[in-house]
Amino acid sequence: MTLVIRERRHKQALMLSLPKPHSDFPFQTHIPAVLPSPFSHVDSSPGIIKDLSDLEKLAVLGHGNGGIVYKVYHTKNRSFYALKVLRLNENGIGILEAEILKRVNSPYIVRCHAVFDNDNCSEGDIGFVMEYMEGGSLHDVLQEHHRLPEEVISVLAKRVLEGLNYLHGMHIVHRDIKPSNLLVNDKGEVKIADFGVSHVVEGKFEVSDSNAGTCAYMSPERIDPDRWGGENADEFAGDVWATGVVMLECFLGYFPLIGPGQRPDWATLMCAICFGEKLEMPEKASPEFQNFVRRCLEKNWRKRATVLELLHHPFVGRNCCCSSTGLGDYVLRGQVH
């Protein structure tokens, strides 16, 4: 499930401005902004990261998509962070991500504390100092525990949907919701990460930009716009589809849209996503969970549930009194049955 297709970034600036950045963001970059908006000021309060030289690299957390993520230690404020270093190329990949991270501020999104350009990084690099998520990713959790019980998936779904609701309210489509982009902290809180292929909605769907992200989690209208009406699609609906795939994967313990023995190549995934028969729900799943997944995995995006509808779904609401503590018990303390 690692086949990735990257979109080609346009060099011209988008005409839609995002909301203003949150005030305490130290954005240390001189790269021309993709989105026309003022830079935020550099916060001089204690603990703010002003210089990459204050960060000590401790370990490599991951590779991929033209970048490396390190676990780092800030020698002055004695805190741990994740440093994501991307190689900028002629398509400007990384610049739009920086502009997005500069503005988002939500408990459901992995926080970015600072961005540094090639005046501070190696030539042609851009560095993101991110919140360190001690529990790794949901992918790591599934690798260890294989599957999660419904009460945990319910809490997980609510957090992902709250994050998407926030992003969509800012006209941002994530376009790459998958287990490896959902990170877990030491409290068991799951947050959305990685905006490398995200998109700012301008009111018109661009078919040329639809093949961005990991194909296994793409919706039918993104893979085959002609068949599924992608030319006029609501781009936010693709994030809903991906959420449904992830939640079903958590329940089953394996990628759900193809058989356990099938190769996850492009042709197999395209056939399963765009032409596959109605997805059979696992018999042991509750009626609420089955309905939730069906509402997410509706092939016709016009009939697919919206994020707001899903936030009020009985499956999500049944654990409304629970905090992320229950999730932490399972994913961090190994209490998976």
Side-chain angles (χ1 to χ4, degrees):
M1 265 57 80
T2 57
L3 181 59
V4 175
I5 295 178
R6 285 290 177 186
E7 70 172 325
R8 180 176 180 83
R9 296 290 184 197
H10 301 300
K11 292 183 179 179
Q12 66 268 27
L14 298 177
M15 297 308 295
L16 178 68
S17 294
L18 286 170
K20 293 182 179 180
H22 53 87
S23 60
D24 60 346
F25 190 96
F27 193 76
Q28 317 277 62
T29 184
H30 304 291
I31 299 172
V34 171
L35 297 167
S37 58
F39 289 124
S40 60
H41 69 278
V42 177
D43 196 322
S44 59
S45 59
I48 293 298
I49 301 167
K50 298 180 181 180
D51 196 328
L52 278 178
S53 64
D54 294 332
L55 299 175
E56 177 185 348
K57 292 180 181 178
L58 301 179
V60 175
L61 297 176
H63 295 82
N65 302 329
I68 304 176
V69 181
Y70 302 92
K71 178 181 178 180
V72 295
Y73 179 72
H74 194 281
T75 56
K76 293 185 176 180
N77 67 26
R78 298 182 180 181
S79 299
F80 294 99
Y81 298 93
L83 174 63
K84 178 179 179 180
V85 180
L86 287 180
R87 170 68 63 176
L88 289 176
N89 60 26
E90 63 180 4
N91 299 324
I93 292 176
I95 300 179
L96 180 57
E97 182 173 7
E99 286 292 321
I100 290 174
L101 288 173
K102 177 184 170 184
R103 290 159 173 76
V104 295
N105 185 18
S106 166
Y108 306 105
I109 310 296
V110 176
R111 181 167 185 180
C112 183
H113 294 276
V115 179
F116 297 90
D117 70 351
N118 53 26
D119 286 350
N120 301 276
C121 300
S122 300
E123 184 176 356
D125 289 347
I126 183 169
F128 303 86
V129 183
M130 307 295 298
E131 173 183 5
Y132 177 56
M133 302 294 283
E134 298 87 346
S137 70
L138 181 61
H139 174 77
D140 299 327
V141 172
L142 293 176
Q143 287 286 100
E144 181 179 355
H145 300 297
H146 305 297
R147 60 177 302 273
L148 299 175
E150 283 193 24
E151 58 266 32
V152 174
I153 299 173
S154 174
V155 177
L156 170 63
K158 180 174 176 58
R159 289 197 64 88
V160 174
L161 291 168
E162 290 284 9
L164 290 177
N165 187 46
Y166 171 81
L167 292 173
H168 294 179
M170 295 180 71
H171 309 288
I172 299 170
V173 185
H174 188 275
R175 298 209 292 188
D176 204 15
I177 295 295
K178 59 182 179 181
S180 59
N181 284 341
L182 300 174
L183 305 187
V184 187
N185 64 16
D186 59 354
K187 299 177 183 178
E189 297 170 335
V190 173
K191 302 187 181 188
I192 298 173
D194 197 340
F195 292 83
V197 296
S198 297
H199 180 59
V200 180
V201 176
E202 298 180 86
K204 180 180 179 182
F205 184 82
E206 298 180 41
V207 175
S208 60
D209 285 344
S210 63
N211 289 331
T214 308
C215 66
Y217 298 88
M218 284 185 187
S219 57
E221 70 273 10
R222 292 185 60 199
I223 292 179
D224 190 351
D226 292 336
R227 177 180 175 85
W228 295 103
E231 306 84 12
N232 302 308
D234 177 355
E235 292 190 67
F236 302 120
D239 284 346
V240 171
W241 172 278
T243 300
V245 176
V246 170
M247 299 309 147
L248 186 55
E249 184 174 353
C250 289
F251 183 91
L252 295 172
Y254 57 84
F255 183 75
L257 301 185
I258 60 176
Q262 287 184 283
R263 293 183 58 187
D265 53 42
W266 171 256
T268 301
L269 289 167
M270 181 183 68
C271 290
I273 294 170
C274 296
F275 304 103
E277 298 296 326
K278 186 176 180 180
L279 188 65
E280 292 188 12
M281 292 290 117
E283 293 182 0
K284 293 183 178 181
S286 68
E288 293 85 2
F289 178 70
Q290 292 188 33
N291 182 264
F292 176 86
V293 173
R294 287 196 180 98
R295 296 293 292 122
C296 293
L297 300 185
E298 170 59 59
K299 290 185 186 294
N300 184 342
W301 63 267
R302 295 176 179 84
K303 298 180 180 180
R304 198 174 303 152
T306 65
V307 168
L308 283 175
E309 289 171 348
L310 292 172
L311 278 170
H312 292 91
H313 193 280
F315 174 71
V316 174
R318 72 185 190 182
N319 288 320
C320 61
C321 296
C322 297
S323 66
S324 61
T325 304
L327 184 60
D329 288 341
Y330 282 99
V331 302
L332 299 179
R333 300 172 181 85
Q335 299 178 14
V336 178
H337 306 292

